[in-house]
Amino acid sequence: MTTNERAEKAVEYKRSCNCCQAVMRAYSDSVNVSEETLIQLGAGFGSGMGCMEATCGALVGAGFIAGLKTEGQATTRVTKQVLAKFQEKCGASICGDLKGIKTGKVLCSCDDCVRNAVLSLDEVIA
C-alpha cells in the first residue's frame, strides 16, 4: 500500500471510529497487532487527549504506530520528527487549537489531521 493510499484509508476509517483509531487501523496490515486491539488501544483518544485539551488523537495514533514500527528503539526521536512534520502540515498539534475552539478559526479538519498524521509518520519511517 502506498503512503497516499494508507492516508486515504485512514480518512475512510474515520467515518466509523475516532481519529486515533483511524490512523492505527490504517497500519493494521503492517504491524503485528490485531485490528481489534488497535481499536481498543485508541479508544480513549477521540477528540484528542482530554477531550480537545491536549494532543490530537491522530497524532497519538501515529505515535503508537511509531512505537510498533520501531519496536521501541529510538521511538522518541521518531515521534519528535512526526510531531514537527504534523505541525508544519496542520498548524498545531493540540486538538482544540486545530479545531479553533477558542479562536473560532479551524486550522485543520479531522480528515486532514488523520491524513497528515499518516503522511508525517510515513515521511519519517520510510
Side-chain angles (χ1 to χ4, degrees), residues 7-82:
E8 294 312 310
K9 191 68 158 169
V11 171
E12 183 180 315
Y13 285 139
K14 175 65 183 91
R15 293 185 184 106
S16 62
C17 61
N18 73 40
C19 295
C20 182
Q21 291 168 320
V23 169
M24 293 173 70
R25 285 179 71 189
Y27 286 91
S28 64
D29 67 320
S30 66
V31 296
N32 195 23
V33 178
S34 73
E35 187 171 340
E36 182 178 316
T37 298
L38 294 173
I39 290 168
Q40 291 170 356
L41 288 170
F45 300 97
S47 299
M49 291 182 71
C51 295
M52 296 190 171
E53 296 295 321
T55 306
C56 167
L59 188 54
V60 172
F64 280 133
I65 296 300
L68 292 170
K69 291 281 201 178
T70 62
E71 297 180 345
Q73 302 300 308
T75 308
T76 302
R77 179 184 51 78
V78 170
T79 55
K80 184 176 181 179
Q81 292 173 329
V82 172

Side-chain angles (χ1 to χ4, degrees), residues 67-123:
L68 292 170
K69 291 281 201 178
T70 62
E71 297 180 345
Q73 302 300 308
T75 308
T76 302
R77 179 184 51 78
V78 170
T79 55
K80 184 176 181 179
Q81 292 173 329
V82 172
L83 170 64
K85 289 184 178 296
F86 182 86
Q87 287 177 318
E88 285 176 25
K89 293 175 188 335
C90 297
S93 61
I94 303 300
C95 183
D97 295 343
L98 291 161
K99 302 304 157 242
I101 299 304
K102 294 178 184 170
T103 64
K105 180 183 176 194
V106 176
L107 298 177
C108 195
S109 70
C110 288
D111 283 358
D112 283 338
C113 286
V114 165
R115 183 179 287 114
N116 288 330
V118 171
L119 294 174
S120 298
L121 178 59
D122 275 10
E123 286 175 23

